Amino acid sequence: MRGFAESVMRGPRTVAEQVANVLREAIANGTIKAGTPLRQDELAEQFGFSRMPIRDALRQLEAEGIVSIHPTKGAQVAPMDSAEISEIYALRELLESEALRLSLPNLAGAKLDEAEQVLDQIDAERNVGRWGTLNRAFHLALYDACGNHRLLGLIEGHHNAADRYVRILLSNLDYRSRSQTEHRDLLAACRRRDAGNAISILRQHLREGSETLVSAIVEDGLARKS
Amino acid sequence: MRGFAESVMRGPRTVAEQVANVLREAIANGTIKAGTPLRQDELAEQFGFSRMPIRDALRQLEAEGIVSIHPTKGAQVAPMDSAEISEIYALRELLESEALRLSLPNLAGAKLDEAEQVLDQIDAERNVGRWGTLNRAFHLALYDACGNHRLLGLIEGHHNAADRYVRILLSNLDYRSRSQTEHRDLLAACRRRDAGNAISILRQHLREGSETLVSAIVEDGLARKS
DNA sequence: GTGCGTATACGGGCATACTTATATCCACAA
DNA sequence: TTGTGGATATAAGTATGCCCGTATACGCAC
C-alpha cells in the first residue's frame, strides 16, 4: 500500500493530466470563456502534443463537469446559466452542512488552527487566482474529520465546478470582506463546538454567495441566455 | 438545438460507449469481480477493437467510480470494502431524502402512477439483472420533480456505483420482499403528500439496505479485506 | 544470508495515420 | 422561392506501432 502517497504527492505524471490542469486553470480564470468549443487538433497544436492526451484530458474535465462532450460534435466549455449555479449552491449547502455536522465532533483543534492560518493567508493574498484554492482549503479543512471520503470528493468537485464563477465574486471587494467575516464567524462557532450555529452560518454564507453570484451574472450577462 | 434528443434517444454512437456499457453490466452482474485488473490489450482483443475505445471506456467508468486507474499501473475494477458501501448509502440517504423533500410538493399524480407500475413490474420480474434498473427507475420517478438536475445526476451515479452490490441484496429473497413492502409504504406516504413520513420511510429503507449489504459482504468475504 | 543494484519484461502513454459521421452549402426540382 | 437531396469539408472516432516508465527477479558483493 505504498502507491497512494506517490500518486497523490507527486505532480502530474502524464501529459493528459498536465493538459487538464492547464485547461482547468484557463477556464477558471476566464482565459477560455464559457461555451467556447474545444477542438482537439487545435489544442493539440497549441500544447505541442498529439490529440490523444488532449482527448484524455477532455474526458477528465467532462467528469468534473467543467466541459461537456457530445459524441462526434466535440467538446465545449460547459455553459452555465444562473439556474445551474443555483443548483450547485443548493447542493453545496446540502453536502457541506452535512459534512460539517459529521466532522465537527471529531475535528482536532490543530485542524481549526490550520483553517485559521488559511484565512490569514486569504487576507494577505493579492493574487485572485489563488483565492479560490485557499477558499476551498478552508472549507475542506473544516470537513476533514467527517469520515466520508466520497462526500469530501463530491464537495471538492463542486468547488472546482464553481471555481470560475467564484472568482467573479472576488472581483467584488465588498463581497470578499463579507465572506471573510462569515468565515471567521464560522470558525469561531466551530471552536465553541456549536454545531447548530456553525451550520446555520455556513448555510447563510453559501446562500449569500449564490445570490450575489446569480445577480452578478444576470447583470453582466456572463452566462448564456439558456 | 436538435442534437439533444438524438444523442440521448439513440443508442451508443461510439464503440467506447458500447464497451463501457458491456463492461458496466459485466461488473454489475459479477462476471468480472472486484479487484480484477483490466488490461487494455486483453480487453481490446476480446472486444475485437483497438485499445483506444477501450481506454475511453475505462476513463468513463473511472468517472463513474466503477473502476480505478493508476497512471502506468493500469485499471482495475474498483475494490469496495464495507466502509465504502456505508459511505455510499450515507450519501444516498442525504441526497435522496433531500430530493424527495423537494420533489414531493410538485410531483404529479401521473408520476406516482408510473412509480406504482414500476413496482408491479418488479414483482413480476424474474430476471435479477433487470431488477436494479427497475429499482432505480422507481426511486428516480419519485424525485423527478425536485427541480435540480445535478442532484438527480448524483443520485443516479450512486445507484450505478452501488448496482453490483444491490444485486447481492436481491439474491436474498427475504430482503427483496421487505424492500417491496417498504417501497409501497413509501409510495402510499407520497400519495398522502406526507413528506415527513415519506422521508423517514426512505431513510429507514436505505439504512436497512446498507446494513443487510454490509453484513452479507462481511460474511461472504466478497469485498477485499481493506 | 541479506541487501542493493542492474537488467529484462510487461504494460500503459503517446504519436501518426486512416475511417467514419455530421453539418453545411449548393444545385436542382417542384 | 422554397424545400429537399446529395456532395464536400471538417472534426471526432478508431487502428496500429513505438517509446518510456515501472516492477520484478536475478545476481553479485558485502
Side-chain angles (χ1 to χ4, degrees), chain B residues 89-210:
Chain B
Y89 269 83
L91 282 172
R92 283 191 59 184
E93 220 180 302
L94 180 68
L95 295 171
E96 296 191 26
S97 60
E98 174 74 356
L100 183 59
R101 188 181 69 78
L102 292 170
S103 175
L104 196 47
N106 308 318
L107 199 58
K111 269 289 169 190
L112 292 171
D113 296 339
E114 195 180 306
E116 185 159 17
Q117 287 174 15
V118 174
L119 290 184
D120 293 339
Q121 285 181 48
I122 291 178
D123 281 332
E125 184 63 55
R126 293 260 152 268
N127 179 2
V128 181
R130 284 197 44 81
W131 204 87
T133 306
L134 292 170
N135 185 49
R136 183 175 64 231
F138 169 72
H139 279 265
L140 286 177
L142 297 185
Y143 315 143
D144 187 66
C146 78
N148 190 324
H149 299 97
R150 251 167 204 266
L151 177 55
L152 287 177
L154 287 181
I155 291 172
E156 191 169 358
H158 281 88
H159 269 270
N160 287 336
D163 195 15
R164 56 188 158 140
Y165 296 94
V166 170
R167 298 197 190 183
I168 297 174
L169 284 176
L170 311 177
S171 57
N172 183 339
L173 286 181
D174 179 43
Y175 172 78
R176 180 170 156 177
S177 72
R178 257 192 334 193
S179 168
Q180 278 293 79
T181 303
E182 289 164 0
H183 280 162
R184 295 202 183 272
D185 287 348
L186 174 56
L187 184 61
C190 288
R191 285 202 188 281
R192 294 197 308 273
R193 304 292 166 175
D194 183 347
N197 195 13
I199 290 174
S200 93
I201 292 173
L202 175 61
R203 295 193 103 106
Q204 180 62 23
H205 172 57
L206 291 173
R207 211 162 295 167
E208 266 189 42
S210 174

Side-chain angles (χ1 to χ4, degrees), chain A residues 30-60:
Chain A
T31 304
I32 307 178
K33 295 188 194 66
T36 305
L38 299 170
R39 311 243 185 271
Q40 294 180 357
D41 354 1
E42 193 177 324
L43 293 172
E45 195 177 5
Q46 289 177 12
F47 281 98
F49 295 105
S50 82
R51 285 167 46 210
M52 287 302 112
I54 273 77
R55 281 172 64 79
D56 284 348
L58 290 176
R59 296 264 177 201
Q60 171 138 2

Side-chain angles (χ1 to χ4, degrees), chain A residues 103 107 111-112 114-115 118 136-145:
Chain A
S103 175
L107 199 59
K111 269 289 167 191
L112 291 171
E114 195 179 307
V118 173
R136 183 174 64 230
F138 168 72
H139 279 265
L140 286 176
L142 298 184
Y143 316 143
D144 187 66

Side-chain angles (χ1 to χ4, degrees), chain B residues 7-73:
Chain B
S7 57
V8 172
M9 299 294 290
R10 308 208 297 218
R13 305 303 302 143
T14 70
V15 173
E17 282 179 75
Q18 298 176 39
V19 171
N21 289 340
V22 172
L23 283 179
R24 195 187 352 260
E25 175 59 24
I27 291 170
N29 69 27
T31 304
I32 307 178
K33 296 188 195 65
T36 305
L38 300 169
R39 311 244 185 268
Q40 293 179 356
D41 17 10
E42 192 177 327
L43 293 172
E45 194 175 6
Q46 288 176 13
F47 281 100
F49 295 106
S50 80
R51 286 164 46 211
M52 283 303 114
I54 273 77
R55 278 173 64 81
D56 284 348
L58 290 176
R59 295 271 176 197
Q60 168 129 11
L61 294 175
E62 185 197 25
E64 297 175 23
I66 298 174
V67 312
S68 56
I69 299 181
H70 282 70
T72 76
K73 293 171 104 176

Side-chain angles (χ1 to χ4, degrees), chain A residues 148-167:
Chain A
N148 190 323
H149 299 96
R150 257 171 198 265
L151 177 55
L152 287 176
L154 286 181
I155 290 172
E156 190 169 358
H158 281 88
H159 270 268
N160 287 336
D163 194 16
R164 56 189 157 135
Y165 294 94
V166 170
R167 297 197 190 183

